[in-house]
């Protein structure tokens, strides 16, 4: 089963939303622990949230994993195509602002599910 680590200021809300969607194992953690778990192959993805969506959600992950493995949805309207493209590029850590949880989480979860089953 796909393991998704969640962290940041909205981690409880992201975890709840992922659990409602189902089909993945959700682990609530922090960004440093998430980075080490991803590097060790102990998890598949990380979803982090911050107040602005400008990068705080992924600061530690970018520093440890590199920008090529991280993706920030920013302030725009997230799309399924954007999520699928990020996954296809090998991105494993995703960030966005807490006010986008209800919009981004279902799109990202569906893209992860499609990639796993595709």
């Amino acid at each position: 089963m796909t393991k998704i680590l969640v962290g940041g200021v909205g981690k409880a809300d992201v975890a709840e939303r992922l659990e409602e969607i189902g089909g993945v194992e959700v682990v609530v953690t922090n960004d440093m622990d998430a980075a080490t778990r991803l590097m060790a192959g102990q998890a598949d993805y990380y979803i982090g949230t911050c107040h602005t969506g400008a990068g705080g959600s992924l600061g530690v992950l970018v520093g440890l994993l590199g920008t090529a493995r991280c993706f920030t949805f920013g302030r725009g309207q997230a799309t399924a195509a954007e999520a699928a493209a990020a996954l296809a590029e090998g991105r494993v850590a995703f960030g966005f602002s807490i006010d986008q949880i209800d919009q981004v989480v279902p799109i990202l979860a569906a893209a992860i599910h499609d990639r796993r089953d595709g």
Side-chain angles (χ1 to χ4, degrees), residues 2-65:
T2 301
K3 183 183 286 189
I4 300 176
L5 308 173
V6 296
V9 295
K11 62 187 171 189
D13 293 330
V14 171
E16 181 179 334
R17 191 73 175 101
L18 285 170
E19 288 167 353
E20 288 170 0
I21 294 167
V24 296
E25 179 183 350
V26 180
V27 177
V28 176
T29 187
N30 61 62
D31 51 5
M32 186 58 126
D33 182 57
T36 58
R37 287 186 192 199
L38 285 169
M39 289 187 300
Q42 298 171 348
D44 301 294
Y45 301 102
Y46 172 77
I47 299 175
T49 52
C50 66
H51 288 290
T52 66
S57 58
L58 294 176
V60 170
L61 283 292
V62 168
L64 295 175
L65 299 178

Coordinates of all heavy atoms in Angstrom, one line a residue, residues 2-65:
T2 N 0.5 2.2 -0.7 CA 1.2 3.5 -0.8 C 1.2 4.2 0.6 O 0.1 4.3 1.2 CB 0.6 4.4 -1.9 OG1 0.6 3.8 -3.1 CG2 1.3 5.7 -1.9
K3 N 2.4 4.6 1.0 CA 2.5 5.3 2.3 C 2.7 6.8 2.1 O 3.7 7.1 1.4 CB 3.6 4.7 3.1 CG 3.7 5.4 4.5 CD 4.9 4.9 5.3 CE 4.6 3.5 5.9 NZ 5.6 3.0 6.8
I4 N 1.8 7.6 2.6 CA 2.0 9.1 2.5 C 2.2 9.7 3.8 O 1.4 9.5 4.8 CB 0.7 9.7 1.8 CG1 0.5 9.1 0.4 CG2 0.9 11.2 1.8 CD1 -0.8 9.6 -0.2
L5 N 3.3 10.4 4.0 CA 3.6 11.1 5.2 C 3.0 12.5 5.1 O 3.0 13.1 4.0 CB 5.1 11.2 5.4 CG 5.9 9.9 5.3 CD1 7.4 10.2 5.3 CD2 5.5 9.0 6.4
V6 N 2.4 13.0 6.2 CA 1.9 14.4 6.1 C 2.5 15.2 7.3 O 2.7 14.7 8.4 CB 0.3 14.4 6.2 CG1 -0.2 13.7 4.9 CG2 -0.2 13.7 7.4
G7 N 2.7 16.5 7.0 CA 3.3 17.4 8.0 C 2.9 18.8 7.7 O 2.1 19.1 6.8
G8 N 3.4 19.7 8.5 CA 3.0 21.1 8.4 C 1.9 21.5 9.3 O 1.3 20.7 10.0
V9 N 1.5 22.7 9.1 CA 0.5 23.3 10.0 C -0.9 22.7 9.9 O -1.7 22.6 10.8 CB 0.4 24.8 9.9 CG1 1.6 25.5 10.3 CG2 0.0 25.3 8.5
G10 N -1.2 22.1 8.7 CA -2.5 21.5 8.5 C -2.4 20.0 8.4 O -3.3 19.3 7.8
K11 N -1.4 19.4 9.0 CA -1.2 17.9 8.9 C -2.4 17.1 9.4 O -2.8 16.1 8.7 CB 0.1 17.5 9.6 CG 0.1 17.7 11.0 CD 1.5 17.4 11.5 CE 1.7 17.8 13.0 NZ 3.1 17.6 13.3
A12 N -3.1 17.5 10.4 CA -4.2 16.7 10.9 C -5.4 16.8 9.9 O -6.0 15.7 9.6 CB -4.7 17.3 12.3
D13 N -5.6 17.9 9.3 CA -6.6 18.1 8.3 C -6.3 17.3 7.0 O -7.2 16.7 6.4 CB -6.9 19.5 8.0 CG -7.5 20.3 9.1 OD1 -8.2 19.7 10.0 OD2 -7.2 21.5 9.2
V14 N -5.1 17.3 6.6 CA -4.7 16.6 5.4 C -4.8 15.1 5.7 O -5.4 14.3 4.8 CB -3.2 16.9 5.0 CG1 -2.7 16.0 3.9 CG2 -3.1 18.3 4.5
A15 N -4.4 14.6 6.8 CA -4.5 13.2 7.2 C -6.0 12.8 7.2 O -6.3 11.7 6.7 CB -3.9 12.9 8.6
E16 N -6.8 13.6 7.8 CA -8.2 13.3 7.8 C -8.8 13.2 6.4 O -9.6 12.2 6.1 CB -9.0 14.3 8.6 CG -10.5 14.1 8.8 CD -11.2 15.2 9.6 OE1 -10.5 15.8 10.4 OE2 -12.4 15.4 9.3
R17 N -8.5 14.1 5.6 CA -9.0 14.1 4.2 C -8.5 12.9 3.4 O -9.2 12.2 2.7 CB -8.5 15.4 3.5 CG -9.2 15.6 2.2 CD -10.7 16.1 2.4 NE -11.3 16.4 1.2 CZ -12.1 15.6 0.5 NH1 -12.4 14.5 1.0 NH2 -12.5 16.0 -0.7
L18 N -7.2 12.5 3.6 CA -6.7 11.3 2.9 C -7.3 10.0 3.4 O -7.6 9.1 2.6 CB -5.2 11.2 3.1 CG -4.3 12.2 2.3 CD1 -2.8 12.1 2.8 CD2 -4.4 11.8 0.8
E19 N -7.6 10.0 4.7 CA -8.2 8.8 5.3 C -9.7 8.7 4.8 O -10.2 7.6 4.6 CB -8.2 8.8 6.8 CG -6.7 8.6 7.3 CD -6.5 8.9 8.8 OE1 -7.4 9.4 9.4 OE2 -5.4 8.6 9.2
E20 N -10.4 9.8 4.6 CA -11.7 9.8 4.0 C -11.7 9.3 2.6 O -12.6 8.5 2.2 CB -12.3 11.2 4.0 CG -12.7 11.7 5.3 CD -13.1 13.2 5.3 OE1 -13.0 13.9 4.2 OE2 -13.4 13.8 6.3
I21 N -10.7 9.6 1.8 CA -10.5 9.2 0.4 C -10.2 7.7 0.4 O -10.7 7.0 -0.4 CB -9.5 10.1 -0.3 CG1 -10.0 11.5 -0.4 CG2 -9.1 9.5 -1.7 CD1 -9.0 12.5 -0.9
G22 N -9.3 7.3 1.3 CA -8.9 5.9 1.4 C -7.9 5.5 0.4 O -7.4 6.2 -0.5
G23 N -7.4 4.2 0.5 CA -6.5 3.6 -0.5 C -5.1 3.8 -0.2 O -4.2 3.4 -1.0
V24 N -4.7 4.6 0.8 CA -3.3 4.8 1.2 C -3.1 4.7 2.7 O -4.1 4.8 3.5 CB -2.9 6.2 0.7 CG1 -2.9 6.4 -0.8 CG2 -3.7 7.3 1.4
E25 N -1.9 4.4 3.1 CA -1.5 4.5 4.5 C -1.1 5.9 4.8 O -0.2 6.4 4.1 CB -0.4 3.5 4.8 CG 0.0 3.5 6.2 CD 1.2 2.5 6.5 OE1 1.5 1.7 5.6 OE2 1.7 2.6 7.6
V26 N -1.6 6.5 5.8 CA -1.3 7.9 6.2 C -0.5 7.9 7.5 O -0.9 7.3 8.5 CB -2.6 8.7 6.3 CG1 -2.2 10.2 6.7 CG2 -3.4 8.7 5.0
V27 N 0.6 8.6 7.5 CA 1.4 8.8 8.7 C 1.6 10.3 9.0 O 2.2 11.0 8.1 CB 2.8 8.1 8.6 CG1 3.6 8.3 9.9 CG2 2.6 6.6 8.3
V28 N 1.2 10.7 10.1 CA 1.4 12.1 10.5 C 2.8 12.2 11.1 O 3.1 11.5 12.0 CB 0.3 12.6 11.5 CG1 0.6 14.0 12.0 CG2 -1.1 12.5 10.9
T29 N 3.5 13.2 10.6 CA 4.9 13.3 11.1 C 5.4 14.8 11.0 O 4.5 15.7 10.9 CB 5.8 12.4 10.3 OG1 7.1 12.4 10.8 CG2 5.9 12.7 8.8
N30 N 6.7 15.0 10.9 CA 7.2 16.4 10.7 C 8.1 16.3 9.5 O 8.4 15.2 9.0 CB 7.9 16.9 11.9 CG 9.1 16.0 12.3 OD1 10.0 15.8 11.5 ND2 9.0 15.4 13.5
D31 N 8.5 17.5 9.0 CA 9.2 17.5 7.8 C 10.6 16.8 7.8 O 11.0 16.2 6.9 CB 9.4 19.0 7.2 CG 9.9 20.0 8.3 OD1 10.2 19.5 9.4 OD2 9.9 21.1 7.9
M32 N 11.3 17.0 8.9 CA 12.6 16.3 9.1 C 12.5 14.8 9.0 O 13.3 14.1 8.3 CB 13.3 16.8 10.3 CG 14.8 16.3 10.4 SD 15.7 16.8 9.0 CE 17.1 17.6 9.8
D33 N 11.6 14.3 9.8 CA 11.4 12.8 9.8 C 10.9 12.4 8.5 O 11.4 11.3 8.0 CB 10.3 12.5 10.9 CG 10.1 11.0 11.0 OD1 11.1 10.2 11.2 OD2 8.9 10.6 10.8
A34 N 10.1 13.1 7.8 CA 9.6 12.7 6.5 C 10.7 12.7 5.5 O 10.8 11.7 4.7 CB 8.5 13.7 6.0
A35 N 11.6 13.6 5.5 CA 12.7 13.6 4.6 C 13.6 12.4 4.8 O 14.0 11.7 3.8 CB 13.6 14.9 4.8
T36 N 13.9 12.1 6.0 CA 14.7 10.9 6.3 C 14.0 9.6 5.9 O 14.7 8.7 5.3 CB 15.2 10.8 7.7 OG1 14.1 10.8 8.6 CG2 16.1 12.0 8.1
R37 N 12.7 9.5 6.1 CA 12.0 8.3 5.7 C 11.9 8.2 4.2 O 12.1 7.1 3.7 CB 10.6 8.3 6.3 CG 10.5 8.1 7.7 CD 9.1 8.0 8.2 NE 8.9 8.0 9.6 CZ 7.8 7.6 10.2 NH1 6.8 7.1 9.5 NH2 7.7 7.6 11.5
L38 N 11.7 9.3 3.5 CA 11.7 9.2 2.0 C 13.1 8.8 1.5 O 13.1 8.0 0.6 CB 11.3 10.6 1.4 CG 9.8 10.9 1.6 CD1 9.5 12.4 1.2 CD2 8.9 10.0 0.7
M39 N 14.1 9.4 2.0 CA 15.5 9.1 1.6 C 15.8 7.6 1.8 O 16.5 7.0 1.1 CB 16.5 10.0 2.2 CG 16.4 11.4 1.7 SD 17.8 12.5 2.3 CE 17.6 12.4 4.0
A40 N 15.2 7.0 2.9 CA 15.5 5.6 3.2 C 14.5 4.7 2.6 O 14.6 3.4 2.8 CB 15.4 5.4 4.8
G41 N 13.6 5.2 1.8 CA 12.7 4.3 1.1 C 11.6 3.8 2.0 O 10.9 2.8 1.7
Q42 N 11.3 4.4 3.1 CA 10.3 3.9 4.1 C 9.0 4.6 3.9 O 8.0 4.3 4.6 CB 10.8 4.2 5.5 CG 12.1 3.5 5.9 CD 12.7 4.0 7.2 OE1 12.2 5.0 7.8 NE2 13.6 3.3 7.7
A43 N 8.8 5.4 2.9 CA 7.6 6.0 2.5 C 7.6 6.4 1.0 O 8.7 6.4 0.4 CB 7.3 7.2 3.4
D44 N 6.4 6.6 0.5 CA 6.3 6.9 -0.9 C 6.2 8.4 -1.2 O 6.8 8.9 -2.2 CB 5.1 6.2 -1.5 CG 5.2 4.7 -1.3 OD1 6.1 4.1 -1.9 OD2 4.4 4.1 -0.6
Y45 N 5.5 9.1 -0.4 CA 5.2 10.5 -0.7 C 5.1 11.3 0.6 O 4.9 10.7 1.7 CB 3.9 10.7 -1.5 CG 3.9 10.0 -2.8 CD1 3.2 8.8 -3.0 CD2 4.6 10.6 -3.9 CE1 3.2 8.2 -4.2 CE2 4.6 9.9 -5.1 CZ 3.9 8.7 -5.2 OH 3.9 8.1 -6.4
Y46 N 5.3 12.6 0.5 CA 5.1 13.5 1.6 C 4.2 14.7 1.1 O 4.3 15.2 0.0 CB 6.4 14.1 2.1 CG 6.3 15.3 3.1 CD1 6.0 15.0 4.4 CD2 6.4 16.6 2.7 CE1 5.9 16.0 5.3 CE2 6.3 17.6 3.6 CZ 6.0 17.3 4.9 OH 5.9 18.3 5.9
I47 N 3.2 15.1 2.0 CA 2.4 16.2 1.7 C 2.6 17.2 2.9 O 2.3 16.8 4.0 CB 0.9 15.8 1.6 CG1 0.7 14.9 0.4 CG2 0.1 17.1 1.4 CD1 -0.7 14.3 0.2
G48 N 3.0 18.4 2.6 CA 3.2 19.4 3.6 C 2.4 20.6 3.4 O 2.1 21.0 2.2
T49 N 1.9 21.3 4.5 CA 1.2 22.5 4.3 C 1.8 23.6 5.2 O 2.4 23.4 6.2 CB -0.3 22.3 4.8 OG1 -0.2 21.7 6.1 CG2 -1.1 21.3 3.9
C50 N 1.6 24.8 4.7 CA 2.0 26.0 5.4 C 0.9 27.1 5.3 O -0.1 26.8 4.7 CB 3.3 26.5 4.9 SG 3.3 27.1 3.2
H51 N 1.1 28.2 5.8 CA 0.1 29.3 5.7 C 0.0 30.0 4.4 O -1.0 30.5 4.0 CB 0.4 30.3 6.8 CG 0.1 29.8 8.2 ND1 -1.2 29.6 8.6 CD2 0.9 29.5 9.2 CE1 -1.2 29.1 9.8 NE2 0.1 29.0 10.2
T52 N 1.1 30.0 3.6 CA 1.1 30.8 2.4 C 1.2 30.0 1.1 O 0.9 30.5 0.0 CB 2.3 31.8 2.4 OG1 3.5 31.1 2.3 CG2 2.2 32.7 3.6
G53 N 1.7 28.8 1.2 CA 1.9 28.0 0.0 C 3.2 28.4 -0.8 O 3.4 27.9 -1.9
A54 N 4.0 29.3 -0.2 CA 5.1 29.8 -1.0 C 6.4 29.0 -0.7 O 7.4 29.4 -1.3 CB 5.3 31.3 -0.5
G55 N 6.4 28.0 0.0 CA 7.6 27.2 0.2 C 7.9 26.7 1.6 O 8.6 25.7 1.7
G56 N 7.3 27.2 2.6 CA 7.5 26.8 4.0 C 7.0 25.3 4.2 O 7.6 24.6 5.0
S57 N 6.1 24.9 3.4 CA 5.6 23.6 3.5 C 6.6 22.5 3.1 O 6.5 21.4 3.5 CB 4.3 23.4 2.6 OG 4.6 23.7 1.2
L58 N 7.6 22.9 2.3 CA 8.6 22.0 1.8 C 10.0 22.4 2.1 O 11.0 21.8 1.5 CB 8.4 21.8 0.3 CG 7.2 21.2 -0.2 CD1 7.1 21.2 -1.7 CD2 7.1 19.8 0.4
G59 N 10.3 23.4 2.9 CA 11.6 23.9 3.1 C 12.7 22.9 3.4 O 13.7 22.8 2.8
V60 N 12.4 22.1 4.4 CA 13.4 21.0 4.8 C 13.5 20.0 3.7 O 14.6 19.5 3.4 CB 13.0 20.4 6.1 CG1 13.8 19.1 6.4 CG2 13.1 21.4 7.3
L61 N 12.4 19.6 3.1 CA 12.4 18.6 2.0 C 13.2 19.1 0.8 O 14.0 18.3 0.3 CB 11.0 18.2 1.6 CG 10.2 17.3 2.5 CD1 10.6 15.9 2.6 CD2 9.8 17.9 3.8
V62 N 13.0 20.3 0.4 CA 13.8 20.8 -0.7 C 15.3 20.8 -0.4 O 16.1 20.4 -1.2 CB 13.4 22.3 -1.1 CG1 14.4 22.9 -2.0 CG2 12.0 22.3 -1.7
G63 N 15.6 21.2 0.9 CA 17.0 21.2 1.3 C 17.7 19.8 1.3 O 18.8 19.6 1.0
L64 N 16.9 18.8 1.7 CA 17.5 17.4 1.8 C 17.2 16.5 0.6 O 18.1 15.7 0.3 CB 16.9 16.7 3.0 CG 17.3 17.4 4.4 CD1 16.6 16.7 5.5 CD2 18.8 17.3 4.5
L65 N 16.1 16.7 -0.1 CA 15.8 15.9 -1.3 C 16.2 16.6 -2.6 O 16.4 15.9 -3.6 CB 14.3 15.5 -1.3 CG 13.7 14.7 -0.2 CD1 12.2 14.5 -0.4 CD2 14.4 13.4 0.0

